[in-house]
């Protein structure tokens, strides 16, 4: 019995080291591959999927150059789904596909910066879109020969420059993602990036007599200021009216449409200058129909 026991010990002492040697020599795992040269190789009808010695994955790519390399030249696409995780939960660098259609967009990709989900903007699609309407009488008189007049007003003071303020925002988005590029309280839009923007606004005043003499007009004006506040452009539309309507009342208003190039941080803002009443008197907006006559739209081209 002693001889048999010693024989088993010798056999075990020889076999176990050999087992480790064989395991190390065959660290490569192959599925459908007889002699894999990478740690993992899987044979498919389309080509091999491999994991190389550095941990890179190649899908039909023999020498992957990044963590996951799909550049096989034929079917290198990758599919992503949506997630209900926050950008913080998903972590910086995470990707997701948002299928919810936006204006002119059927879906788009977003990446996490660790705090927010940030959109990849679809090429050739509308991007920035702002829509607002005005149902208040609020304005801000900012140019006058009488300094004490500067400030907030109700209605438009004749022969003074006044910003149209306190809009009701209908839409403010970037490829379907809500943004805050437009400030309804001031009526000011700030360009988030350089580009051409199509902008239009209209306003209508309550019907009244026009009887101030000559040069009766309403001006709708878009103003562009750079980030430092310097005026770089003013584009206006001028509508003239009869010098005297007698006892008759007429609707009065104007509109201005422009395509302007804005640098990142430039500010676009609507204002008006009118003379259809006596100097210093006030004209009120026609806010009937929920402000349908007083509207603003900005679209990135």
């Amino acid at each position: 019995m002693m001889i048999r026991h010693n024989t088993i010990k010798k056999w075990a002492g020889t076999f176990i080291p050999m087992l480790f040697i064989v395991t190390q020599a065959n660290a490569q795992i192959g599925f459908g591959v007889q002699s894999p040269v990478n740690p993992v190789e899987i044979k498919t009808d389309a080509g091999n999927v491999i994991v190389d010695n550095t941990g890179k994955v190649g899908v039909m790519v023999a020498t992957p150059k990044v963590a996951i390399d799909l550049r096989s030249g034929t079917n290198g696409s990758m599919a992503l789904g949506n997630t209900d995780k926050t950008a913080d939960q998903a972590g910086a660098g995470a990707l997701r596909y948002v299928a919810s259609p936006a204006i002119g967009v059927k879906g788009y990709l977003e990446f996490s910066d660790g705090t927010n989900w940030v959109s990849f903007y679809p090429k050739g699609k509308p991007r920035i879109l702002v829509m607002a309407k005005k149902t208040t009488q609020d304005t801000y008189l900012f140019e006058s020969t009488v300094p004490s007049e500067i400030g907030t007003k109700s209605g438009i003071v004749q022969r003074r420059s006044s910003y149209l303020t306190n809009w009701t925002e209908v839409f403010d988005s970037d490829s379907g993602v809500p943004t805050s590029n437009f400030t309804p309280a001031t009526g000011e839009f700030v360009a988030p990036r350089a580009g051409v923007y199509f902008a239009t606004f209209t306003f209508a005043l309550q019907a009244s007599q026009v009887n101030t003499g000559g040069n009766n007009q309403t001006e709708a004006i878009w103003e562009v200021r750079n980030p430092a506040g310097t005026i770089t452009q003013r584009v206006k539309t001028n509508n003239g009216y009869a010098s005297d309507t007698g006892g008759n009342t007429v609707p009065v208003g104007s509109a201005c449409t422009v395509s302007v190039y804005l640098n990142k941080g430039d500010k676009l803002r609507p204002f008006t200058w009118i003379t259809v009443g006596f100097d210093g008197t006030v004209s009120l907006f026609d806010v009937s129909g929920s402000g349908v006559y007083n509207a603003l739209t900005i679209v990135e081209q």
Side-chain angles (χ1 to χ4, degrees):
M1 295 296 293
M2 183 64 68
I3 296 173
R4 181 182 178 88
H5 179 71
N6 289 337
T7 302
I8 293 173
K9 286 180 64 177
K10 290 180 181 179
W11 176 84
T14 303
F15 175 76
I16 291 175
M18 287 181 63
L19 179 62
F20 281 107
I21 293 171
V22 171
T23 301
Q24 291 178 339
N26 291 279
Q28 291 84 4
I29 300 173
F31 296 90
V33 181
Q34 290 186 351
S35 301
V37 295
N38 291 286
V40 178
E41 291 192 24
I42 304 171
K43 182 180 179 180
T44 74
D45 290 341
N48 287 4
V49 178
I50 66 108
V51 178
D52 70 11
N53 290 318
T54 64
K56 296 184 180 69
V57 178
V59 181
M60 280 80 81
V61 177
T63 55
K65 292 182 172 56
V66 294
I68 300 177
D69 202 329
L70 308 176
R71 294 170 291 187
S72 64
T74 53
N75 294 302
S77 61
M78 178 175 64
L80 295 174
N82 207 335
T83 177
D84 57 4
K85 289 185 176 181
T86 65
D88 178 56
Q89 291 170 335
L95 292 171
R96 71 177 183 179
Y97 174 73
V98 181
S100 301
I103 302 300
V105 180
K106 297 301 182 183
Y108 49 89
L109 291 177
E110 290 185 330
F111 70 90
S112 167
D113 64 4
T115 303
N116 300 298
W117 286 106
V118 183
S119 298
F120 290 98
Y121 304 109
K123 182 179 179 180
K125 301 293 185 181
R127 297 178 178 177
I128 302 298
L129 175 61
V130 172
M131 298 176 67
K133 60 183 180 179
K134 185 166 175 56
T135 59
T136 71
Q137 298 294 340
D138 299 339
T139 62
Y140 185 85
L141 194 159
F142 68 97
E143 284 182 348
S144 172
T145 57
V146 183
S148 62
E149 291 184 332
I150 303 299
T152 57
K153 305 294 178 184
S154 180
I156 303 175
V157 182
Q158 302 291 320
R159 296 181 172 88
R160 312 288 193 270
S161 294
S162 299
Y163 291 123
L164 279 60
T165 58
N166 284 336
W167 294 79
T168 298
E169 184 178 281
V170 178
F171 210 74
D172 183 3
S173 79
D174 191 341
S175 297
V177 180
T179 60
S180 55
N181 298 314
F182 178 72
T183 303
T186 62
E188 186 174 75
F189 169 79
V190 179
R193 53 182 171 267
V196 177
Y197 293 81
F198 175 86
T200 184
F201 82 97
T202 65
F203 71 89
L205 304 178
Q206 296 177 10
S208 62
Q209 296 178 6
V210 177
N211 52 13
T212 63
N215 297 322
N216 293 324
Q217 61 186 16
T218 59
E219 296 180 0
I221 307 162
W222 279 110
E223 177 185 84
V224 179
R225 292 177 181 263
N226 64 22
T230 303
I231 297 171
T232 58
Q233 290 187 71
R234 276 183 173 174
V235 183
K236 71 178 180 180
T237 299
N238 180 10
N239 293 90
Y241 293 88
S243 61
D244 191 344
T245 61
N248 299 319
T249 60
V250 295
V252 174
S254 191
C256 186
T257 299
V258 297
S259 285
V260 292
Y261 181 86
L262 301 178
N263 291 302
K264 181 179 180 180
D266 282 353
K267 302 170 183 180
L268 182 66
R269 194 172 186 182
F271 76 93
T272 184
W273 188 95
I274 67 173
T275 171
V276 292
F278 294 105
D279 183 41
T281 59
V282 177
S283 294
L284 298 178
F285 293 100
D286 181 352
V287 294
S288 62
S290 299
V292 293
Y293 301 115
N294 312 299
L296 176 152
T297 302
I298 301 171
V299 180
E300 183 184 13
Q301 301 298 287

